[in-house]
Amino acid sequence: MVFLNPYLSSSDLEFYENVKDFAKERVLPSVEERDETSTWGDSIWKEMGGMGLLGIPVPEEYGGQGGTCLQCCIAQEAFNAGSLDGGFGLSWGAHMIIGTLPILFQGTEAQKKKYLPKLASGEWIAGLGLTEPDSGSDAAAMNTFATKVDGGFILNGSKLYITNGPNGQVFIIMARTTKSRGPMGVSAFIVESNMKGFHVSKVLKKLGHNTSMTAELSFQDMFVPDENLLGPLNSGFVRIGKGTLEWERTVLVAAVPGGMEFGLELCLDYAWKRHQFGKPILSFFGVQEKLARNWVYLCASRRLIYFVANKKDTDPTASLPFESSALKVFVTETAEEIANDAVQIHGGMGYMRECHVSRQFRDVKLGTIGGGTSEIQRSIISSTYAGFDKFMTVLGQSLPEEVRQKAENLLGNTPEGRVLAAAKELLRSAGENPDRKKKQSSEFGFADLAVFIVSVQLGLWDAVQSNADYKSEDRIRDLRILTFYAGCKFFKSVHFLKELDPERTKELLNRFSELPTVEKDVAECVEFLKNGVLGAQIA
């Protein structure tokens, strides 16, 4: 539905709608059964391979589509918006991004010619082996070891929670190649499942994403030839792991707002048709505010994802750990809230496994764990902050200067603009305080403040733009809703910044307390959504 995604150009929107329609027609009808039985959809995989969806970022010369980071995000989002099949989307994303891109980015020409065509077509399924039983968030502390021998390496060790582990053929495996600890002693290898000593030691049962296959892999005296070393020796984690994880935190997270869109459509329809006390439950504020939050969080998530993806595309060498981590925290944590609300709106039916939102509730939890936990993302945000001016310069690349200036002139002195200004003053001050990094509570408070600023600043700049489906007055209304609810969510830990700057912390919280109530805005937002999504049903 075009109305629900106002942030794409006509060509990108056509691609989005095509993928969403495919997912709705070919994937959605079987997702409940596949989820219940933890069954892999091989026919869906082959059909997607025939459509070119499995090799979007792979250059055409290697059998792919030569697509952009943004196009990968659009595809992931649209697939989930049409099917709410987070598990299959996860397998696809793991294959396309963390299983294939390391070969594209660091592989030799021989490696690219051997592996990329079969990965792009889907004939081979790929994955990444990084996490171990004793090495999770501290990924560089892994124990899997590769011993150099004549003609190659002998690998011993195991990897845990590996997406596509039971059914994949090609894996990028990180292994220590020196006895010293730390990231510089880790190398990457292209491992094939038919290598002697490769074992799927256990197929894992999960809370959610049950349409994706997950396993523990083990390697017992497995010989890997020299030509399968990926990138320079002892630099696999730095060159491949961290670069690929930025893509993962953008592209794989892009599926999450797709789930928000699916849930929004479902909840609006249910809340309109479900009558209690003589009227639709959609008429009650307790339901309306959940749907309004869903919408403003969905729009904010898209602004963040598309901004980071476009930045990746315009400058492929850019390192964006701060931005991709802020994106991941905002999108995945608000999605948890929205999934919980979706079940609540459906009441008892939402608690039944036959109801799609129950699957959304189970699937969404992985977002705050996989690809680096929310806690790790907050540490990255704090540690990679490069100063306020650099922060605002990068953020300013999201929109032209004339748009940003127009927004500041129009909205800078509104209650929402004053909250944002106070938040930025506190960020500047706390960011310059060396004591910020001495306590995790201060780091996390700083990170949450930064996440709030990124999401609301992009919303404020966007609010002066307009198109047929989403006019400026609607965006300004939604900015008020976003500022209030994002503040409620992310200002909880800002309290800890009192130790760094008590006056500016107090000023921010005072400004936030001065925000007008959003009850009227919520009602108008729901009316806007009702007309745009339900349309003829309410005529």
Side-chain angles (χ1 to χ4, degrees):
M1 184 175 290
V2 173
F3 170 83
L4 284 172
N5 196 334
Y7 291 106
L8 296 176
S9 65
S10 57
S11 59
D12 286 334
L13 191 57
E14 182 181 3
F15 177 48
Y16 183 93
E17 290 295 311
N18 287 339
V19 175
K20 183 177 177 180
D21 288 344
F22 162 77
K24 186 176 293 186
E25 294 168 9
R26 305 292 296 160
V27 184
L28 179 61
S30 63
V31 63
E32 182 184 345
E33 180 181 356
R34 287 183 288 108
D35 180 68
E36 284 295 320
T37 58
S38 297
T39 300
W40 172 248
D42 193 56
S43 61
I44 297 172
W45 184 262
K46 291 176 180 176
E47 193 168 354
M48 290 175 68
M51 295 170 64
L53 291 174
L54 303 182
I56 294 173
V58 176
E60 293 182 23
E61 63 186 290
Y62 300 114
Q65 305 302 306
T68 63
C69 182
L70 178 62
Q71 288 169 331
C72 292
C73 291
I74 292 169
Q76 281 274 301
E77 182 184 344
F79 183 85
N80 210 24
S83 66
L84 200 65
D85 190 347
F88 204 88
L90 172 66
S91 281
W92 170 27
H95 163 85
M96 179 171 67
I97 303 302
I98 58 178
T100 298
L101 288 187
I103 299 175
L104 176 63
F105 291 162
Q106 294 292 326
T108 64
E109 189 60 28
Q111 289 170 339
K112 293 177 184 178
K113 288 180 177 178
K114 178 178 180 180
Y115 292 104
L116 292 181
K118 291 186 177 181
L119 294 175
S121 69
E123 180 181 347
W124 286 349
I125 300 174
L128 172 71
L130 179 60
T131 301
E132 297 182 2
D134 296 319
S135 170
S137 295
D138 186 10
M142 64 186 65
N143 292 314
T144 296
F145 201 89
T147 303
K148 187 69 181 80
V149 295
D150 187 30
F153 297 81
I154 298 293
L155 263 67
N156 282 284
S158 64
K159 298 293 179 179
L160 192 60
Y161 312 134
I162 307 306
T163 301
N164 299 331
N167 56 324
Q169 290 79 37
V170 178
F171 297 90
I172 309 302
I173 300 298
M174 299 288 181
R176 187 160 298 287
T177 41
T178 68
K179 293 184 178 180
S180 62
R181 312 304 286 174
M184 290 308 297
V186 175
S187 301
F189 299 89
I190 304 173
V191 168
E192 298 179 30
S193 60
N194 60 3
M195 288 179 171
K196 186 177 179 180
F198 179 100
H199 301 283
V200 177
S201 50
K202 186 178 182 181
V203 177
L204 302 172
K205 297 179 180 179
K206 307 186 295 295
L207 170 69
H209 288 92
N210 293 318
T211 57
S212 172
M213 305 298 103
T214 310
E216 180 179 4
L217 305 179
S218 62
F219 320 111
Q220 299 174 357
D221 294 328
M222 182 178 68
F223 177 76
V224 180
D226 282 329
E227 58 263 30
N228 281 42
L229 174 66
L230 183 60
L233 188 68
N234 298 330
S235 64
F237 183 74
V238 174
R239 287 177 175 262
I240 296 171
K242 291 190 174 181
T244 304
L245 288 175
E246 281 187 22
W247 273 72
E248 179 186 18
R249 288 166 188 159
T250 306
V251 177
L252 270 69
V253 169
V256 175
M260 289 185 186
E261 178 176 312
F262 187 104
L264 180 60
E265 289 188 89
L266 205 64
C267 288
L268 274 167
D269 183 70
Y270 181 83
W272 175 250
K273 293 176 180 176
R274 174 69 170 169
H275 283 63
Q276 291 289 281
F277 308 103
K279 55 185 177 180
I281 64 171
L282 185 58
S283 63
F284 294 102
F285 176 78
V287 172
Q288 290 178 350
E289 66 98 15
K290 294 176 175 60
L291 293 168
R293 268 190 292 113
N294 189 329
W295 170 247
V296 299
Y297 283 166
L298 169 59
C299 290
S301 295
R302 283 172 168 155
R303 289 190 291 263
L304 275 163
I305 291 169
Y306 298 168
F307 160 59
V308 174
N310 277 316
K311 181 75 175 145
K312 277 286 185 188
D313 290 332
T314 56
D315 185 4
T317 62
S319 179
L320 303 170
F322 180 96
E323 292 78 10
S324 61
S325 292
L327 174 162
K328 188 174 186 295
V329 168
F330 181 87
V331 176
T332 60
E333 293 195 358
T334 57
E336 277 193 349
E337 189 176 319
I338 292 307
N340 183 74
D341 288 342
V343 173
Q344 194 71 21
I345 288 171
H346 282 77
M349 176 55 71
Y351 199 64
M352 300 297 106
R353 293 180 73 90
E354 66 190 76
C355 187
H356 289 303
V357 297
S358 73
R359 185 173 66 257
Q360 180 184 11
F361 184 81
R362 288 182 285 112
D363 285 354
V364 78
K365 183 60 208 173
L366 182 62
T368 61
I369 300 171
T373 65
S374 287
E375 292 75 21
I376 290 296
Q377 302 311 314
R378 285 179 166 86
S379 293
I380 292 172
I381 291 168
S382 179
S383 65
T384 58
Y385 175 74
F388 184 80
D389 292 339
K390 175 69 179 297
F391 165 73
M392 290 303 299
T393 298
V394 173
L395 202 58
Q397 294 168 4
S398 61
L399 287 167
E401 183 178 358
E402 58 268 24
V403 174
R404 292 183 279 117
Q405 192 58 55
K406 179 181 178 181
E408 295 292 348
N409 291 339
L410 181 66
L411 301 169
N413 199 37
T414 61
E416 296 72 36
R418 290 193 290 271
V419 169
L420 181 59
K424 289 192 287 188
E425 283 301 311
L426 178 57
L427 187 82
R428 182 196 293 272
S429 170
E432 294 172 353
N433 192 322
D435 290 339
R436 168 171 60 88
K437 296 184 179 182
K438 292 181 179 180
K439 296 174 66 174
Q440 194 173 72
S441 58
S442 298
E443 284 197 307
F444 281 19
F446 180 82
D448 280 351
L449 179 64
V451 171
F452 172 84
I453 292 171
V454 169
S455 59
V456 173
Q457 182 69 81
L458 292 180
L460 184 139
W461 287 337
D462 172 72
V464 296
Q465 301 195 102
S466 190
N467 60 32
D469 292 313
Y470 199 23
K471 295 181 170 56
S472 177
E473 55 263 36
D474 296 315
R475 300 182 194 219
I476 292 173
R477 175 202 64 222
D478 294 345
L479 172 65
R480 293 193 291 266
I481 300 172
L482 174 65
T483 304
F484 175 73
Y485 283 113
C488 289
K489 183 174 186 63
F490 291 105
F491 285 172
K492 290 180 291 187
S493 60
V494 169
H495 170 84
F496 294 113
L497 298 181
K498 288 199 303 183
E499 295 184 17
L500 304 180
D501 191 332
E503 289 302 316
R504 287 187 175 87
T505 302
K506 182 180 179 180
E507 172 68 11
L508 171 59
L509 296 179
N510 284 340
R511 289 295 188 186
F512 184 70
S513 71
E514 294 169 358
L515 287 176
T517 60
V518 295
E519 186 174 1
K520 183 173 180 288
D521 290 326
V522 163
E524 291 179 357
C525 178
V526 169
E527 192 67 22
F528 164 77
L529 293 171
K530 186 173 71 173
N531 293 327
V533 176
L534 299 180
Q537 293 186 46
I538 61 174

